[in-house]
Structures are given as C-alpha cells and as structure tokens.
Amino acid sequence: MPLLVMKFGGTSVADLDRIRNAAQKVKAEVARGYDVIVIVSAMSGKTNQLVGWVNETSPLYDAREYDAVVSSGENVTAGLMALTLQEMDVPARSWQGWQVPIQTTSQHGAARFVDIPRANLDAKFAEGFKVAVIAGFQGVSAEGRITTLGRGGSDTTAVAFAAAFDAERCDIYTDVDGIYTTDPRITSKARKLDKISFEEMLELASLGAKVLQTRSVELAMRYKVRLRVLSSFDDTNDQSGTLVCDEDEIMESKVVSGVAYSREEAKLTLVTVEDRPGIAAAIFGPLSEAGVNVDMIVQNISEQNYKGREKPVTDMTFSCPVEQVARARKALETARDAGSISYDALEIDEDAAKVSVVGIGMRSHAGVAARMFRALAEEGVNIKVIATSEIKISVLIDRKYMELAVQALHDAFELDKAG
Ligand code: ADP
Ligand code: ASP
Ligand code: MG
C-alpha cells in the first residue's frame, strides 16, 4: 500500500469540529487508496498553558517533569482523532510516543530521534487498520522517560515518520496555505511560494519562521522526504500549498527569498572580561551546560583598555531567547563566583528582536547587506548586532521596530513580485 503522512497543527485540531474537518481529509486520502500515518499536535493554546503551569510551579524546573506535563496535550488529540475516524468508519488506532516506541535521546525539552521501529505499526496496518494516529512532539528516552522535541516538534515527528515508513509525501496541514516570503501576519504583501529550497527553508525556520520546525527541514533534506505545507482550513481554493524541495527543482530564484523574525530576543553584554585564550570557552561552556541557546556573539575591544589597565580586557556581547535570561544570568554568576571568569557588569537588554533576510542568491550577489542596512536606516531603525552567513544576514534591533523592519525589508527586496 502507498503511504502518506498527514500532520495537523494546533489550530487544525483546535476543537472537535476542527478535528472532524481534519479527519475528513484523512478519510479522503484513505478513499484514494493510501494507508495514512496522522501526526497530531495539541489543541492550539494547550501547550502554552501547560508550559505556563510548569513555569508557575517551578521557574527553574526539572526538565523531565516539564516533558511529563507538556507532552500530555498531544495524547488527548491523538485519542480524539482516532475516535473521530472510527465514527467515520475508518479503522484507526492512536499511539503515544512510548507505545510505538519513538526512541529519542534524553535531552529533555530538546530530544532527538534515535529510532522509530516500524514493527508495531506495520502489524496494525497488516490487520486492516487504515490509519495510525501518532501523538506528535514526544518520544521516550533509553531511561524510559517521556521526552519532548522542542516547540513545534510535531513537524519533526511527521518528517521522521515519513522517512521511517518511506511515505510518498509528508503533508503539513496548518492555518496558512503555504510558505510565504514572510509571515503573512506581518504584511499583507507577503507572497505564497510554490516551491522553496531545503536550504532556504532551513535558514528561515532557524531564524524564527515557525511554519516548520528547523529540525523537520533538516530531516526532510537528509532523507529526501517530499515535504509540503498546506492549509487545513481552505477547502475551496488551490490546495497545492508549498513544496520544500531541492534547489535544482526551482526555476525562479531571487537574491533574497524571504524575511524571518524572532520576536523575543535578549542581548547580554559582559563588560570588561579578561582578554586571554580560553575566555570564550569559560563563558559559553557554562551557558551551554545550563541549556542557554546562544545565538549571535560579538567580542569587542573594551574601552577600558585605554584607561590604564594592566591586562587587556574585552566586552563580550551575545543574544539568546528572552525566556532563557534567568538561566543565563545564573550560569554566569555561578562561573564568576567559582572564579573561572570575571567581569565588571552584566548588562541585559530584554527588548530586542532579530530580523533576517535569507536567499541562496546571496552566494553570488554582492550588495545585499548594504541594501538591507540602507532600508533599515531609512526607517530610522538602529542596529544593535549583525551576523551573517553564506545565505543570510541577521540584525538585532529594538523589538518595537520589528514589524516595521520586516515590512521595510520585504519592500526593499521586492518580495511581493514574483521572479
Ligand atoms: P501549527 O500550529 O499548524 O504548527 P504554527 O503556528 O506553528 O502552526 O505555524 C504556522 C504559522 O507560521 C502561520 O500562522 C504564520 O503566522 C507563521 N509563519 C511565520 N513565517 C511564515 C512564513 N514565511 N510563511 C508562512 N507562515 C509563516
Ligand atoms: N504542541 C507543541 C507546541 O505547541 C508541538 C507542536 O505543535 O508541534 O510546540
Ligand atoms: Mg507549528
């Protein structure tokens, strides 16, 4: 039997009516002759509520218990989806991660797949079941504890199942009808793309475009999964969505293909740290152990060097998600108390956002950075930190200018126009 993976995000299973609507789409694929693996998210808002409860109970929580709580939203929708399909005379069974079992590493809150054995699901399909409904976002560690894959992780569950079961396609149903040049919530000029390359989608996702989880794109690229994003809401219009595919399947190519943003960023500066070999490792080692996702890093000559200091000093600036500032501060203070680093002050700016432009065309075109900085300057947006790679340029700016910056860059690179 040919097999499809169909993933429904939070808004697509937000209530019983939405679940029925999603189940209809699954039933239609079964009628076309497919076995289907359905991956479900928690009902929209549910995971945020669970995360909120954990934070309220224990601000520096034990990540094992975070996963125990936060994974539960998907269990509910998996069971409800299986029941809804049964009511429609489609033979379906639900599975929580540990029942498959979806084996993952034990990095709680950011676990990675180790293996997805096929035997249990294959046996059920052989019995005549047409649909296996899998609770997304979760797995089980070698220690037998429930794990989660990081926010948005159901996308990655979907792609991993598509790879493990050689699915013909992996369809990600969401509340937009495809991948756009930027988040259509930020500008109505955003344009839907028919296709986007894995490389560009990978950058957009890792820079904040939450339409797909970064890891899902990585896996799709590695295992050559045909990955499509489409709407579960729109039954009338064009249902082709956006295909994420290899670069050479795409004819149209602009220098910049998309603009991404990440709203909740913080900028931290360690003022006056010793400028010596090993200092970066002494700072970023403890941050990494504390689970802080450091993003941009800038090391500056400190002006203190010109004030008669005996030893050279430097200022170290980095960015991380706002929600991790408390962890970062604690890790740095602990390292200072232990004597492995010293600094005069830790300056924290919690009102930052990151805006990035992405495009494989940048590899062969100069001048993208200049055009980007000019567009921001014309809007009076000040840049705090800049980072570049082969196919992206990111800037950290004041959060209050984020929407304005995204719109200005979308205009500057004429992303509303095709070709
Ligand atoms: P789901 O709950 O289905 O997983 P998400 O909220 O995680 O849905 O992702 C879909 C959302 O991603 C859209 O509603 C949109 O606001 C946002 N988004 C951000 N960037 C883009 C983009 N470039 N194209 C489409 N959607 C985007
Ligand atoms: N429910 C989880 C989240 O909100 C996983 C997902 O929806 O992909 O992050
Ligand atoms: Mg999502």
Side-chain angles (χ1 to χ4, degrees):
M1 266 303 173
L3 185 136
L4 278 187
V5 170
M6 302 171 75
K7 179 255 171 176
F8 295 93
T11 44
S12 305
V13 292
D15 55 35
L16 299 184
D17 273 343
R18 297 302 315 157
I19 293 179
R20 268 192 289 276
N21 169 78
Q24 286 293 357
K25 293 187 183 299
V26 177
K27 184 175 176 161
E29 296 294 2
V30 171
R32 285 190 193 108
Y34 287 104
D35 282 347
V36 182
I37 296 179
V38 175
I39 312 292
V40 285
S41 289
M43 291 177 174
S44 65
K46 189 72 209 171
T47 310
N48 284 346
Q49 182 190 45
L50 296 169
V51 170
W53 286 346
V54 169
N55 281 321
E56 214 178 306
T57 310
S58 172
L60 293 175
Y61 51 75
D62 175 337
R64 294 172 200 79
E65 302 308 339
Y66 169 97
D67 279 355
V69 175
V70 168
S71 61
S72 65
E74 272 71 9
N75 298 343
V76 175
T77 39
L80 288 173
M81 176 62 84
L83 286 171
T84 308
L85 286 161
Q86 289 173 4
E87 288 294 325
M88 295 175 176
D89 296 323
V90 180
R93 181 62 70 224
S94 76
W95 309 76
Q96 295 181 11
W98 64 271
Q99 293 173 300
V100 173
I102 302 171
Q103 295 163 11
T104 72
T105 59
S106 47
Q107 289 156 277
H108 287 276
R112 289 174 162 242
F113 292 107
V114 173
D115 192 22
I116 300 179
R118 292 179 53 145
N120 283 336
L121 264 64
D122 279 344
K124 266 285 176 283
F125 283 125
E127 274 176 38
F129 279 79
K130 298 309 267 170
V131 181
V133 185
I134 311 290
F137 177 55
Q138 55 173 266
V140 61
S141 69
E143 293 79 29
R145 298 223 61 93
I146 304 303
T147 55
T148 64
L149 309 174
R151 298 304 305 268
S154 299
D155 298 328
T156 307
T157 308
V159 174
F161 271 80
F165 286 82
D166 301 314
E168 199 171 292
R169 219 175 46 236
C170 181
D171 284 344
I172 305 284
Y173 285 88
T174 182
D175 57 357
V176 278
D177 60 353
I179 296 162
Y180 280 68
T181 47
T182 193
D183 187 345
R185 283 173 213 243
I186 303 285
T187 166
S188 56
K189 290 187 190 166
R191 181 171 53 88
K192 183 172 91 74
L193 301 164
D194 294 331
K195 293 180 177 178
I196 186 165
S197 69
F198 286 121
E199 287 86 350
E200 286 169 319
M201 192 58 233
L202 196 55
E203 284 284 2
L204 287 172
S206 71
L207 294 166
K210 68 172 186 159
V211 61
L212 286 174
Q213 200 200 31
T214 309
R215 186 89 186 109
S216 72
V217 187
E218 252 168 43
L219 283 184
M221 189 164 151
R222 165 131 47 102
Y223 294 103
K224 303 217 170 299
V225 171
R226 277 192 98 66
L227 180 60
R228 195 166 69 142
V229 173
L230 65 171
S231 168
S232 75
F233 286 76
D234 192 348
D235 292 317
T236 47
N237 290 347
D238 171 25
Q239 274 288 284
S240 56
T242 302
L243 185 71
V244 190
C245 59
D246 278 331
E247 223 176 283
D248 45 21
E249 277 189 60
I250 300 174
M251 304 292 285
E252 168 206 344
S253 177
K254 303 188 79 163
V255 180
V256 166
S257 321
V259 183
Y261 65 85
S262 169
R263 191 187 299 269
E264 305 286 324
E265 297 287 319
K267 174 179 158 226
L268 291 83
T269 301
L270 284 167
V271 182
T272 329
V273 296
E274 280 175 86
D275 195 1
R276 60 163 169 85
I279 190 66
I283 292 170
F284 295 107
L287 287 169
S288 144
E289 277 156 34
V292 178
N293 297 102
V294 172
D295 179 22
M296 300 159 130
I297 300 177
V298 182
Q299 188 179 340
N300 281 331
I301 300 287
S302 173
E303 58 181 66
Q304 294 295 329
N305 278 318
Y306 308 104
K307 295 188 179 161
R309 293 234 169 198
E310 271 177 30
K311 289 186 181 165
V313 286
T314 178
D315 289 345
M316 192 74 88
T317 296
F318 64 92
S319 68
C320 74
V322 169
E323 58 174 19
Q324 294 176 358
V325 164
R327 271 171 200 270
R329 183 204 294 268
K330 185 158 180 254
L332 293 168
E333 286 172 356
T334 307
R336 183 179 59 179
D337 294 347
S340 56
I341 58 172
S342 63
Y343 53 87
D344 284 355
L346 172 59
E347 289 172 359
I348 300 179
D349 167 5
E350 297 198 49
D351 297 316
K354 183 173 62 173
V355 176
S356 312
V357 297
V358 170
I360 38 185
M362 275 187 221
R363 284 185 196 138
S364 48
H365 281 80
V368 177
R371 197 159 153 197
M372 177 177 189
F373 301 153
R374 208 177 310 122
L376 294 172
E378 278 164 13
E379 297 295 339
V381 177
N382 189 37
I383 300 172
K384 297 167 187 272
V385 183
I386 301 169
T388 63
S389 78
E390 201 189 12
I391 66 162
K392 73 118 200 271
I393 303 169
S394 298
V395 292
L396 204 65
I397 60 171
D398 268 337
R399 187 173 306 135
K400 62 175 184 275
Y401 296 125
M402 195 201 77
E403 274 90 355
L404 177 66
V406 171
Q407 288 155 1
L409 295 173
H410 200 272
D411 286 346
F413 290 100
E414 301 184 335
L415 296 183
D416 53 330
K417 300 191 185 92

